[in-house]
mmCIF file of all heavy atoms in Angstrom:
data_model
loop_
_atom_site.group_PDB
_atom_site.id
_atom_site.type_symbol
_atom_site.label_atom_id
_atom_site.label_comp_id
_atom_site.label_asym_id
_atom_site.label_seq_id
_atom_site.Cartn_x
_atom_site.Cartn_y
_atom_site.Cartn_z
ATOM 1 N N THR E 206 -28.542 -188.950 35.203
ATOM 2 C CA THR E 206 -27.666 -187.930 34.859
ATOM 3 C C THR E 206 -26.994 -188.308 33.408
ATOM 4 O O THR E 206 -27.159 -189.426 33.067
ATOM 5 C CB THR E 206 -26.497 -187.699 35.721
ATOM 6 O OG1 THR E 206 -25.863 -188.962 36.044
ATOM 7 C CG2 THR E 206 -26.971 -187.221 37.195
ATOM 8 N N ILE E 208 -24.194 -188.901 30.621
ATOM 9 C CA ILE E 208 -22.906 -189.360 30.497
ATOM 10 C C ILE E 208 -22.143 -188.545 29.506
ATOM 11 O O ILE E 208 -22.616 -188.477 28.470
ATOM 12 C CB ILE E 208 -22.803 -190.919 30.067
ATOM 13 C CG1 ILE E 208 -23.593 -191.709 31.096
ATOM 14 C CG2 ILE E 208 -21.334 -191.375 29.875
ATOM 15 C CD1 ILE E 208 -23.722 -193.252 30.593
ATOM 16 N N ALA E 225 -37.091 -188.897 16.879
ATOM 17 C CA ALA E 225 -37.290 -189.841 18.036
ATOM 18 C C ALA E 225 -37.476 -189.028 19.398
ATOM 19 O O ALA E 225 -38.117 -189.539 20.287
ATOM 20 C CB ALA E 225 -36.165 -190.765 18.185
ATOM 21 N N PRO E 233 -46.182 -191.211 28.108
ATOM 22 C CA PRO E 233 -46.888 -190.742 29.422
ATOM 23 C C PRO E 233 -45.820 -190.361 30.554
ATOM 24 O O PRO E 233 -44.877 -190.847 30.504
ATOM 25 C CB PRO E 233 -47.611 -191.967 29.802
ATOM 26 C CG PRO E 233 -47.706 -192.848 28.644
ATOM 27 C CD PRO E 233 -46.581 -192.510 27.741
ATOM 28 N N THR E 250 -13.236 -172.110 34.652
ATOM 29 C CA THR E 250 -11.810 -171.933 34.214
ATOM 30 C C THR E 250 -11.072 -170.760 34.748
ATOM 31 O O THR E 250 -9.961 -170.504 34.712
ATOM 32 C CB THR E 250 -11.841 -171.720 32.569
ATOM 33 O OG1 THR E 250 -12.460 -170.657 32.205
ATOM 34 C CG2 THR E 250 -12.422 -173.000 31.962
ATOM 35 N N LYS E 275 -40.519 -177.470 30.299
ATOM 36 C CA LYS E 275 -41.347 -178.184 29.325
ATOM 37 C C LYS E 275 -41.811 -179.488 29.638
ATOM 38 O O LYS E 275 -42.828 -179.997 29.130
ATOM 39 C CB LYS E 275 -40.563 -178.220 27.938
ATOM 40 C CG LYS E 275 -40.138 -176.860 27.357
ATOM 41 C CD LYS E 275 -39.272 -177.071 26.130
ATOM 42 C CE LYS E 275 -39.003 -175.755 25.537
ATOM 43 N NZ LYS E 275 -38.047 -175.889 24.298
ATOM 44 N N ALA E 300 -40.736 -180.677 39.819
ATOM 45 C CA ALA E 300 -39.244 -180.322 39.870
ATOM 46 C C ALA E 300 -38.985 -179.242 40.913
ATOM 47 O O ALA E 300 -39.841 -178.415 41.109
ATOM 48 C CB ALA E 300 -38.765 -179.871 38.554
ATOM 49 N N LYS E 325 -38.655 -170.585 43.304
ATOM 50 C CA LYS E 325 -38.085 -170.568 44.604
ATOM 51 C C LYS E 325 -37.265 -171.934 44.763
ATOM 52 O O LYS E 325 -37.556 -172.903 44.228
ATOM 53 C CB LYS E 325 -39.143 -170.642 45.730
ATOM 54 C CG LYS E 325 -40.150 -169.470 45.568
ATOM 55 C CD LYS E 325 -39.434 -168.061 45.722
ATOM 56 C CE LYS E 325 -40.487 -166.919 45.597
ATOM 57 N NZ LYS E 325 -39.852 -165.611 45.681
ATOM 58 N N PHE E 329 -28.705 -174.735 50.676
ATOM 59 C CA PHE E 329 -28.093 -175.441 51.924
ATOM 60 C C PHE E 329 -26.871 -174.825 52.245
ATOM 61 O O PHE E 329 -25.880 -174.887 51.348
ATOM 62 C CB PHE E 329 -28.091 -176.887 51.544
ATOM 63 C CG PHE E 329 -29.434 -177.673 51.350
ATOM 64 C CD1 PHE E 329 -29.913 -177.987 50.152
ATOM 65 C CD2 PHE E 329 -30.128 -177.930 52.608
ATOM 66 C CE1 PHE E 329 -31.180 -178.746 50.158
ATOM 67 C CE2 PHE E 329 -31.433 -178.583 52.453
ATOM 68 C CZ PHE E 329 -31.860 -178.961 51.304
ATOM 69 N N VAL E 331 -23.471 -174.186 55.023
ATOM 70 C CA VAL E 331 -22.606 -174.714 55.973
ATOM 71 C C VAL E 331 -22.370 -173.702 57.079
ATOM 72 O O VAL E 331 -21.846 -172.576 56.644
ATOM 73 C CB VAL E 331 -21.249 -175.199 55.544
ATOM 74 C CG1 VAL E 331 -20.311 -175.874 56.656
ATOM 75 C CG2 VAL E 331 -21.457 -176.302 54.330
ATOM 76 N N THR E 332 -22.992 -173.807 58.213
ATOM 77 C CA THR E 332 -22.995 -172.700 59.196
ATOM 78 C C THR E 332 -21.783 -172.195 59.749
ATOM 79 O O THR E 332 -21.501 -170.945 59.940
ATOM 80 C CB THR E 332 -23.838 -173.053 60.399
ATOM 81 O OG1 THR E 332 -23.491 -174.465 60.864
ATOM 82 C CG2 THR E 332 -25.428 -173.137 60.084
ATOM 83 N N LEU E 355 2.958 -177.112 39.665
ATOM 84 C CA LEU E 355 3.755 -176.062 39.002
ATOM 85 C C LEU E 355 5.221 -176.458 38.797
ATOM 86 O O LEU E 355 5.899 -175.840 38.089
ATOM 87 C CB LEU E 355 3.774 -174.747 39.770
ATOM 88 C CG LEU E 355 2.391 -173.978 39.787
ATOM 89 C CD1 LEU E 355 2.428 -172.762 40.671
ATOM 90 C CD2 LEU E 355 2.084 -173.509 38.349
ATOM 91 N N ARG E 363 1.795 -189.604 48.361
ATOM 92 C CA ARG E 363 1.371 -190.901 48.873
ATOM 93 C C ARG E 363 0.023 -190.851 49.361
ATOM 94 O O ARG E 363 -0.376 -190.193 50.369
ATOM 95 C CB ARG E 363 2.285 -191.400 49.932
ATOM 96 C CG ARG E 363 1.920 -192.807 50.554
ATOM 97 C CD ARG E 363 2.978 -193.211 51.488
ATOM 98 N NE ARG E 363 4.254 -193.471 50.944
ATOM 99 C CZ ARG E 363 4.630 -194.592 50.408
ATOM 100 N NH1 ARG E 363 3.729 -195.607 50.216
ATOM 101 N NH2 ARG E 363 5.764 -194.808 49.897
ATOM 102 N N ARG E 365 -3.643 -192.523 51.020
ATOM 103 C CA ARG E 365 -3.798 -193.181 52.274
ATOM 104 C C ARG E 365 -3.796 -194.787 52.106
ATOM 105 O O ARG E 365 -3.581 -195.482 53.133
ATOM 106 C CB ARG E 365 -5.212 -192.863 52.903
ATOM 107 C CG ARG E 365 -5.226 -191.362 53.381
ATOM 108 C CD ARG E 365 -4.149 -191.120 54.431
ATOM 109 N NE ARG E 365 -2.949 -190.557 53.940
ATOM 110 C CZ ARG E 365 -1.907 -190.190 54.620
ATOM 111 N NH1 ARG E 365 -1.913 -190.412 55.932
ATOM 112 N NH2 ARG E 365 -0.809 -189.580 54.091
ATOM 113 N N PHE E 388 -9.129 -188.057 50.379
ATOM 114 C CA PHE E 388 -9.201 -187.336 51.665
ATOM 115 C C PHE E 388 -10.601 -187.693 52.311
ATOM 116 O O PHE E 388 -10.664 -187.899 53.519
ATOM 117 C CB PHE E 388 -9.264 -185.811 51.396
ATOM 118 C CG PHE E 388 -9.283 -184.971 52.627
ATOM 119 C CD1 PHE E 388 -8.265 -184.651 53.317
ATOM 120 C CD2 PHE E 388 -10.598 -184.463 53.057
ATOM 121 C CE1 PHE E 388 -8.300 -183.893 54.499
ATOM 122 C CE2 PHE E 388 -10.703 -183.616 54.156
ATOM 123 C CZ PHE E 388 -9.583 -183.385 54.955
ATOM 124 N N SER E 392 -10.160 -191.381 57.819
ATOM 125 C CA SER E 392 -10.685 -191.006 59.152
ATOM 126 C C SER E 392 -10.317 -189.631 59.506
ATOM 127 O O SER E 392 -9.428 -189.007 58.878
ATOM 128 C CB SER E 392 -10.108 -191.974 60.152
ATOM 129 O OG SER E 392 -8.801 -191.680 60.323
ATOM 130 N N GLN E 396 -7.181 -187.524 58.086
ATOM 131 C CA GLN E 396 -7.375 -186.414 57.242
ATOM 132 C C GLN E 396 -6.396 -185.254 57.431
ATOM 133 O O GLN E 396 -5.878 -184.610 56.606
ATOM 134 C CB GLN E 396 -8.853 -185.868 57.283
ATOM 135 C CG GLN E 396 -9.876 -186.771 56.573
ATOM 136 C CD GLN E 396 -11.314 -186.244 56.739
ATOM 137 O OE1 GLN E 396 -11.612 -185.438 57.636
ATOM 138 N NE2 GLN E 396 -12.167 -186.807 55.859
ATOM 139 N N LYS E 413 10.019 -171.470 44.893
ATOM 140 C CA LYS E 413 10.239 -171.020 43.518
ATOM 141 C C LYS E 413 9.511 -169.625 43.267
ATOM 142 O O LYS E 413 8.382 -169.562 43.582
ATOM 143 C CB LYS E 413 9.840 -172.070 42.526
ATOM 144 C CG LYS E 413 10.666 -173.389 42.705
ATOM 145 C CD LYS E 413 10.285 -174.389 41.625
ATOM 146 C CE LYS E 413 11.122 -175.607 41.692
ATOM 147 N NZ LYS E 413 10.871 -176.527 40.618
ATOM 148 N N GLY E 428 -7.424 -165.844 45.877
ATOM 149 C CA GLY E 428 -7.607 -164.842 44.886
ATOM 150 C C GLY E 428 -9.067 -164.678 44.689
ATOM 151 O O GLY E 428 -9.422 -163.731 43.924
ATOM 152 N N ILE E 458 -17.868 -185.660 56.709
ATOM 153 C CA ILE E 458 -18.616 -186.814 56.181
ATOM 154 C C ILE E 458 -19.229 -187.404 57.419
ATOM 155 O O ILE E 458 -18.608 -187.946 58.190
ATOM 156 C CB ILE E 458 -17.612 -187.864 55.476
ATOM 157 C CG1 ILE E 458 -16.877 -187.038 54.312
ATOM 158 C CG2 ILE E 458 -18.372 -188.963 54.995
ATOM 159 C CD1 ILE E 458 -17.856 -186.562 53.267
ATOM 160 N N ASP E 463 -18.865 -190.591 65.061
ATOM 161 C CA ASP E 463 -19.781 -191.320 66.007
ATOM 162 C C ASP E 463 -21.046 -190.552 66.246
ATOM 163 O O ASP E 463 -21.297 -189.489 65.728
ATOM 164 C CB ASP E 463 -18.922 -191.499 67.365
ATOM 165 C CG ASP E 463 -18.510 -190.100 67.984
ATOM 166 O OD1 ASP E 463 -19.316 -189.081 67.801
ATOM 167 O OD2 ASP E 463 -17.410 -189.985 68.523
ATOM 168 N N GLN E 468 -24.595 -185.917 65.801
ATOM 169 C CA GLN E 468 -25.633 -185.131 66.508
ATOM 170 C C GLN E 468 -25.138 -183.652 66.446
ATOM 171 O O GLN E 468 -25.977 -182.778 66.304
ATOM 172 C CB GLN E 468 -25.873 -185.651 67.869
ATOM 173 C CG GLN E 468 -27.004 -184.998 68.574
ATOM 174 C CD GLN E 468 -27.351 -185.660 69.912
ATOM 175 O OE1 GLN E 468 -26.831 -185.276 71.029
ATOM 176 N NE2 GLN E 468 -28.144 -186.684 70.026
ATOM 177 N N ILE E 471 -25.490 -181.980 62.973
ATOM 178 C CA ILE E 471 -26.703 -181.819 62.518
ATOM 179 C C ILE E 471 -27.420 -180.778 63.407
ATOM 180 O O ILE E 471 -28.101 -179.797 62.843
ATOM 181 C CB ILE E 471 -27.464 -183.183 62.493
ATOM 182 C CG1 ILE E 471 -26.805 -184.037 61.437
ATOM 183 C CG2 ILE E 471 -28.988 -182.972 62.220
ATOM 184 C CD1 ILE E 471 -27.312 -185.578 61.556
ATOM 185 N N ARG E 505 -31.805 -191.059 61.535
ATOM 186 C CA ARG E 505 -32.315 -190.881 62.766
ATOM 187 C C ARG E 505 -32.152 -189.636 63.535
ATOM 188 O O ARG E 505 -32.953 -189.014 64.073
ATOM 189 C CB ARG E 505 -32.074 -192.144 63.662
ATOM 190 C CG ARG E 505 -32.709 -193.346 63.241
ATOM 191 C CD ARG E 505 -32.642 -194.465 64.347
ATOM 192 N NE ARG E 505 -31.200 -194.805 64.585
ATOM 193 C CZ ARG E 505 -30.601 -195.802 63.981
ATOM 194 N NH1 ARG E 505 -31.162 -196.616 63.023
ATOM 195 N NH2 ARG E 505 -29.364 -196.252 64.133
ATOM 196 N N GLU E 550 -32.706 -185.718 27.972
ATOM 197 C CA GLU E 550 -32.677 -186.083 29.363
ATOM 198 C C GLU E 550 -33.964 -185.597 30.072
ATOM 199 O O GLU E 550 -34.508 -186.342 30.964
ATOM 200 C CB GLU E 550 -31.367 -185.502 30.006
ATOM 201 C CG GLU E 550 -31.334 -185.908 31.475
ATOM 202 C CD GLU E 550 -31.020 -187.364 31.647
ATOM 203 O OE1 GLU E 550 -30.804 -188.069 30.611
ATOM 204 O OE2 GLU E 550 -30.765 -187.876 32.769
ATOM 205 N N ARG E 553 -36.642 -187.944 29.115
ATOM 206 C CA ARG E 553 -36.633 -189.238 29.859
ATOM 207 C C ARG E 553 -36.883 -189.106 31.329
ATOM 208 O O ARG E 553 -37.717 -189.924 31.799
ATOM 209 C CB ARG E 553 -35.244 -189.728 29.639
ATOM 210 C CG ARG E 553 -34.966 -191.115 30.218
ATOM 211 C CD ARG E 553 -33.583 -191.630 30.130
ATOM 212 N NE ARG E 553 -32.727 -190.854 31.086
ATOM 213 C CZ ARG E 553 -32.664 -191.073 32.373
ATOM 214 N NH1 ARG E 553 -33.366 -192.017 32.926
ATOM 215 N NH2 ARG E 553 -31.876 -190.301 33.129
ATOM 216 N N VAL E 557 -42.321 -192.236 31.889
ATOM 217 C CA VAL E 557 -42.518 -193.522 32.719
ATOM 218 C C VAL E 557 -41.199 -194.302 32.838
ATOM 219 O O VAL E 557 -41.099 -195.277 33.583
ATOM 220 C CB VAL E 557 -43.571 -194.473 32.041
ATOM 221 C CG1 VAL E 557 -44.897 -193.748 32.034
ATOM 222 C CG2 VAL E 557 -43.215 -194.787 30.600
#
Side-chain angles (χ1 to χ4, degrees):
T206 55
I208 301 174
T250 64
K275 294 178 180 178
K325 305 300 181 186
F329 290 105
V331 182
T332 46
L355 289 174
R363 180 175 294 277
R365 295 297 96 179
F388 182 86
S392 66
Q396 285 179 345
K413 296 186 177 182
I458 301 301
D463 57 33
Q468 186 178 91
I471 293 169
R505 283 194 295 270
E550 185 67 0
R553 185 186 68 80
V557 292

